[in-house]
Amino acid sequence: MVQRQLPHPAELLELMRFKKPEFNGRKRRLDAALTIYDLRAIAKRRTPKAAFDYTDGAAEGELSLARARQAFEDIEFHPGILRPAPEVDTSVEILGGPSALPFGIAPTGFTRLMQTEGEAAGASAAGAAGIPFTLSTLGTTSIEGVKAANPHGRNWFQLYVMRDREISYGLARRAAEAGFDTLQFTVDTPVAGARLRDKRNGFSIPPQLTVGTIVNAIPRPWWWYDFLTTPKLEFASLSTTGGTVGELLNSAMDPTISYDDLAVIRDLWPGKIVVKGVQNVEDSVRLVDAGVDGIILSNHGGRQLDRAPIPFHLLPKVVQEVGKDATVMIDTGIMNGADIVASIALGAKFTLIGRAYLYGLMAGGRAGVDRTIAILRDEIERTMKLLGLATLAELEPTHVTQLTRLMPLAGAPAEAMGGGAPRVRATAGAAKGRARA
């Protein structure tokens, strides 16, 4: 028989622990976000559809983005046991300077469209966290504005070589004069990708007030208040070039750029230069032979060529070929600190986050970017401790197995898939992944 008794009041009091209410709505919702996907959900609720879809979407069927994220989920870690790591060191030396974490903020265009604090929030948050921030040629905060927001941190500049070359040369000189230490020469945008969500939404810069946008704005008045009561949304670094937004975009995409342009920028730029948008081994080797300091394996977040190679799958072979001679970095699809740990294990020296940062920005401005960084930091530290590793330098390829759902047909060129990068095991079946629309 179970013996029952009336509960003692003192025992009840021990069980009653009331959480102090948080009256700051922004802090309350950000504290409740435990993953980058949580921040994405908040961002979707708080941002008009056209602006959110511009950030969240990719090219055509969005297969490249989905595959990149799936590749990170399809990994298996191999932890060591009885290897205490109560404290971990997440710092790295990258391109001649320090970073407190093995990731930085990638360049994103039109950033004040997502949330009015824009690049200033990203740059100041990066500075506070001790990680690099990258400003896009198509940014909505000027080179000098980013420097003011992050005066003592590391600022990088992403460069499109435009049809009018003198515009690009002038931007590179301005960034150098402002103390930006690394330039990302972007090569994967000869033309703009087909971003179908934007076309369906009638996306424009600046946003146009239509019946649809007004209806969509009703539950999001804060976004429109910020948009209508802050400085005009424009390309800050290109505001003096004249022409419409469409003309500016067209001038930024130039299919004629070549190694000759890279050589000119290499001679002009005094700091480190890396090439962003590398998608095969052969180009990696050729770029290193051309004297670049590093490469970024990237398919532009899936926003250019759909069905492009998966950067994470390319990583091992590229590192094998050029890792001793240049800094190999990676972006596209990173949504968890474990993705970053896996990338470092397979030889990447650094990683860059784009959408993950923008989800935080849309969810809560500067505080949301801080939350993005904190979530990823916690995930990196926890993953390292569970692997039994105290430093990033201890990470090795043996700590990770890349699983795959996509195998080339027999007889397909090996180099097309990265020259035989490790794909040791295959999943038993294609489990249902989370929706990534």
Side-chain angles (χ1 to χ4, degrees):
M1 291 288 294
V2 175
Q3 183 179 354
R4 299 189 183 277
Q5 64 184 30
L6 291 174
H8 193 282
E11 294 175 348
L12 284 177
L13 288 174
E14 290 180 2
L15 298 175
M16 297 172 68
R17 294 289 186 268
F18 296 105
K19 186 178 180 181
K20 182 180 178 181
E22 176 56 68
F23 297 105
N24 183 318
R26 175 182 292 192
K27 187 175 187 307
R28 185 171 61 248
R29 66 175 176 269
L30 291 177
D31 287 349
L34 303 181
T35 68
I36 301 302
Y37 281 104
D38 289 343
L39 289 175
R40 178 186 179 276
I42 298 170
K44 187 173 184 180
R45 292 198 303 267
R46 296 188 58 81
T47 311
K49 179 175 173 58
F52 178 82
D53 278 354
Y54 172 77
T55 305
D56 193 58
E60 302 188 39
E62 305 190 358
L63 298 175
S64 289
L65 175 58
R67 289 174 180 176
R69 287 181 175 170
Q70 191 67 61
F72 282 118
E73 295 182 5
D74 287 349
I75 63 171
E76 181 178 85
F77 282 119
H78 306 293
I81 60 170
L82 301 178
R83 298 179 59 182
E87 300 295 332
V88 297
D89 180 2
T90 60
S91 64
V92 296
E93 287 288 318
I94 184 70
L95 296 170
S99 178
L101 294 161
F103 68 89
I105 292 180
T108 60
F110 316 149
T111 309
R112 284 187 54 237
L113 172 75
M114 294 75 165
Q115 203 272 351
T116 192
E117 296 175 54
E119 291 91 352
S124 59
I131 64 176
F133 174 84
T134 313
L135 174 64
S136 169
T137 293
L138 301 180
T140 46
T141 301
S142 69
I143 291 168
E144 295 76 16
V146 165
K147 178 64 176 180
N150 185 22
H152 306 298
R154 298 188 65 189
N155 294 309
W156 297 354
F157 187 70
Q158 175 267 336
L159 183 69
Y160 287 117
V161 176
M162 305 178 78
R163 293 175 188 271
D164 184 345
R165 298 297 197 263
E166 288 302 323
I167 295 174
S168 298
Y169 301 159
L171 290 175
R173 292 188 185 100
R174 278 175 60 189
E177 290 170 2
F180 285 50
D181 65 74
T182 296
L183 184 139
Q184 295 181 12
F185 183 96
T186 298
V187 296
D188 56 5
T189 55
V191 297
R195 294 146 194 200
L196 303 186
R197 289 204 221 181
D198 296 344
K199 292 183 179 181
R200 292 175 180 130
N201 289 330
F203 172 77
S204 64
I205 300 284
Q208 301 298 306
L209 290 173
T210 65
V211 173
T213 57
I214 291 172
V215 169
N216 189 249
I218 291 173
R220 301 170 179 87
W222 48 80
W223 189 94
W224 285 100
Y225 173 77
D226 283 341
F227 171 69
L228 295 171
T229 60
T230 54
K232 181 182 178 181
L233 181 65
E234 60 184 359
F235 301 104
S237 296
L238 302 175
S239 59
T240 60
T241 62
T244 65
V245 170
E247 290 167 344
L248 285 172
L249 282 173
N250 186 53
S251 70
M253 309 298 180
D254 186 353
T256 71
I257 65 169
S258 67
Y259 275 86
D260 291 338
D261 293 299
L262 175 60
V264 172
I265 297 298
R266 171 69 280 184
D267 290 341
L268 181 154
W269 180 255
K272 301 289 186 180
I273 186 168
V274 300
V275 175
K276 181 178 184 293
V278 181
Q279 299 178 64
N280 63 54
V281 176
E282 295 90 339
D283 285 339
S284 301
V285 172
R286 188 176 179 188
L287 287 165
V288 173
D289 290 342
V292 302
D293 298 294
I295 60 173
I296 302 174
L297 299 177
S298 170
N299 63 31
H300 214 96
R303 297 166 69 80
Q304 287 297 109
L305 175 66
D306 206 9
R307 301 175 175 83
I310 300 168
F312 184 57
H313 283 176
L314 284 172
L315 178 61
K317 183 60 176 177
V318 170
V319 169
Q320 178 183 325
E321 294 294 328
V322 303
K324 294 181 179 179
D325 302 311
T327 299
V328 179
M329 297 175 281
I330 185 172
D331 72 16
T332 303
I334 294 172
M335 292 288 283
N336 191 291
D339 304 341
I340 296 170
V341 172
S343 298
I344 302 300
L346 293 183
K349 297 300 183 184
F350 204 63
T351 63
L352 294 160
I353 60 165
R355 286 183 182 85
Y357 140 63
L358 295 176
Y359 293 144
L361 179 68
M362 290 186 287
R366 160 65 196 273
V369 183
D370 289 336
R371 186 65 183 141
T372 290
I373 295 171
I375 288 171
L376 293 174
R377 180 194 295 114
D378 288 347
E379 290 169 343
I380 290 169
E381 291 178 350
R382 182 168 56 252
T383 302
M384 290 176 64
K385 289 178 181 179
L386 290 170
L387 287 172
L389 305 174
T391 67
L392 292 167
E394 297 173 61
L395 281 164
E396 297 180 352
T398 54
H399 288 113
V400 177
T401 294
Q402 287 181 309
L403 311 176
T404 184
R405 299 158 192 255
L406 301 172
M407 293 292 290
L409 294 174
E415 286 298 324
M417 290 296 290
R423 288 168 184 80
V424 179
R425 306 175 190 172
T427 51
K432 292 183 178 179
R434 64 172 60 85
R436 293 177 178 80

